[in-house]
């Protein structure tokens, strides 16, 4: 028998799909208050960045060896390097720099199926830091406190794709004082240290642009998701992968007509997201995924299922206003939660998502655009200035332990 919530949701889908008058359909709405101001900040003139010139084995040669690195979800490290080389915030005089950037492509080591392997990353990072500390004086005067690194792997500078082993490793000891720019974000987690800047994963802007459909296309799908529910190779029973949340989505809603969910990945994936009201963004092995970017870009309300997640640019993007947060333990009630959201609330979330500044902040476009993810990173760095005088060490003073960590990390790279 059809429940009241099912009937309500069907009616809601029809209303949002086109029975509303044109004047009621979602247009756009500026974010109110300080968040909107932060989102539209211009970092130029507020900071200067010095880009170390490293041997190409740390970056360009890796990319030449495997150009696939340009398209995977960790590619922000590559595009950030390219952006900074031509950015107005770059300075060629390190004496006037506020921040120092070390361009290392730590995730550009891919398996035949395209998955990044992080096992060489700690040695590679340690080698690069040894190089800059030997050839320039700037690392040694702060031991990295005025340096930032882009570490976009699953668990950031813990450099492992399995959470248990990432926690065991911890953040690379040489990053203790540096600012980390990373996709991973989870409160009270050893792989996210205070002061880190959480960013969106890379999603190809040109590819998404090519799949845009007319904005007035009805949103006739209530809930949409494409992806794994079980990792049959590493966790066949589904209790560990995604902490069981994805398995719970499948077991509870695989036969629910309001839920368009599947492991299939159709060629119309991007178009389907633009026809959906809600897009599920559950955790996988890590709390984050490119679905969050895709949902925002395509105006599909993200349903975030990842306890304690720290979301990208949270001081600029009002995630509580544009998304829906569902605790992992509440996944069995997902249908009730979503059908209880009023049309007025849904329409406001859609208006906020329609704001172009919201979409730009989630993307790394080529060429860069004002307000994009590159500029949001710079805004985050600018807000940390000026550096407190305590970050500068006395001559000869040492804080970092260069021999800490697994023995394998100490091998030359």
């Amino acid at each position: 028998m059809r429940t009241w919530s099912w009937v309500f949701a069907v009616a809601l889908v029809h209303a949002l799909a086109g029975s509303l008058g044109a004047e009621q359909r979602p247009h756009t709405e500026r974010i109110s208050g300080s968040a909107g101001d932060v989102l539209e900040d211009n970092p130029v003139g507020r900071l200067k960045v010095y880009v170390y010139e490293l041997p190409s084995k740390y970056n360009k040669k890796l990319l030449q060896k495997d150009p696939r690195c340009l398209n995977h979800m960790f590619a922000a490290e590559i595009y950030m390097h390219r952006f900074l080389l031509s950015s107005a915030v770059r300075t060629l005089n390190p004496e006037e720099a506020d921040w120092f950037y070390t361009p290392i492509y730590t995730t550009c080591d891919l398996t035949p199926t395209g998955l990044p392997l992080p096992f060489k990353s700690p040695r590679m990072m340690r080698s690069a830091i040894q190089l800059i500390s030997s050839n320039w004086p700037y690392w040694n005067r702060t031991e990295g406190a005025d340096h930032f690194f882009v570490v976009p792997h699953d668990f950031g500078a813990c450099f492992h794709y399995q959470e248990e082993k990432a926690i065991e490793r911890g953040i690379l000891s040489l990053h203790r004082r540096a600012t980390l720019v990373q996709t991973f974000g989870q409160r009270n987690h050893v792989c996210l240290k205070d002061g880190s800047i959480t960013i969106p994963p890379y999603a190809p802007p040109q590819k998404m642009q090519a799949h845009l459909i007319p904005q007035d296309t009805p949103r006739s799908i209530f809930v949409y998701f494409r992806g794994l529910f079980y990792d049959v190779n590493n966790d066949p029973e589904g209790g560990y992968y995604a902490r069981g949340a994805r398995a719970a989505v499948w077991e509870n809603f695989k036969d629910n007509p309001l839920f368009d969910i599947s492991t299939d990945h159709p060629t119309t994936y991007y178009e389907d997201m633009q026809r959906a009201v809600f897009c599920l963004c559950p955790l996988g092995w890590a709390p984050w995924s490119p679905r969050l970017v895709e949902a925002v870009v395509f105006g599909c309300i993200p349903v975030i299922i990842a306890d304690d997640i720290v979301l990208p640019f949270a001081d600029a993007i009002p995630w509580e206003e544009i998304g829906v947060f569902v605790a992992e333990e509440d996944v069995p009630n997902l249908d009730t939660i979503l059908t209880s959201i009023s049309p007025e609330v849904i329409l406001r979330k859609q208006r906020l998502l329609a704001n172009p500044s919201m979409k730009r902040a989630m993307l790394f476009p080529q060429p860069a655009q004002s307000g994009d993810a590159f500029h949001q990173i710079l805004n985050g760095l600018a807000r940390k200035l000026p550096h407190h005088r305590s970050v500068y060490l006395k001559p000869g003073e040492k804080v970092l332990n260069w021999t800490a960590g697994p023995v394998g990390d100490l091998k030359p790279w």
Side-chain angles (χ1 to χ4, degrees), residues 137-149:
Y138 308 106
W139 173 273
N140 296 319
R141 70 183 185 183
T142 66
E143 287 203 307
D146 52 359
H147 289 56
F148 70 94
F149 296 86

Side-chain angles (χ1 to χ4, degrees), residues 168-180:
E168 182 182 330
R169 288 189 51 85
I171 291 174
L172 189 71
S173 61
L174 298 185
H175 283 152
R176 177 181 159 191
R177 290 170 62 83
T179 290
L180 301 180

Side-chain angles (χ1 to χ4, degrees), residues 397-412:
E397 184 182 2
K398 300 291 183 184
V399 175
L400 299 180
N401 183 352
W402 284 72
T403 60
V407 174
D409 290 0
L410 305 181
K411 296 179 180 178

Side-chain angles (χ1 to χ4, degrees), residues 38-50:
V38 170
L39 192 63
E40 296 169 8
D41 274 352
N42 183 357
V44 176
R46 298 169 55 211
L47 77 167
K48 293 183 178 181
V49 177
Y50 182 76

Side-chain angles (χ1 to χ4, degrees), residues 307 326-333:
D307 294 352
V326 176
E328 293 165 26
E329 66 178 8
D330 291 336
V331 166
N333 303 319

Side-chain angles (χ1 to χ4, degrees), residues 1-20 218-223 255-260 275 277-278 335-336 338-341 343 346:
M1 186 175 69
R2 292 181 179 179
T3 64
W4 177 88
S5 62
W6 191 93
V7 174
F8 174 83
V10 170
L12 177 59
V13 166
H14 285 305
L16 294 172
S19 62
L20 287 175
R219 290 191 178 268
S220 55
I221 301 170
F222 191 59
V223 180
D255 297 320
N256 189 315
L258 296 178
F259 283 67
D260 188 345
R275 296 186 180 99
V277 178
F278 295 104
D335 54 347
T336 303
L338 297 180
T339 55
S340 68
I341 301 173
I346 289 174

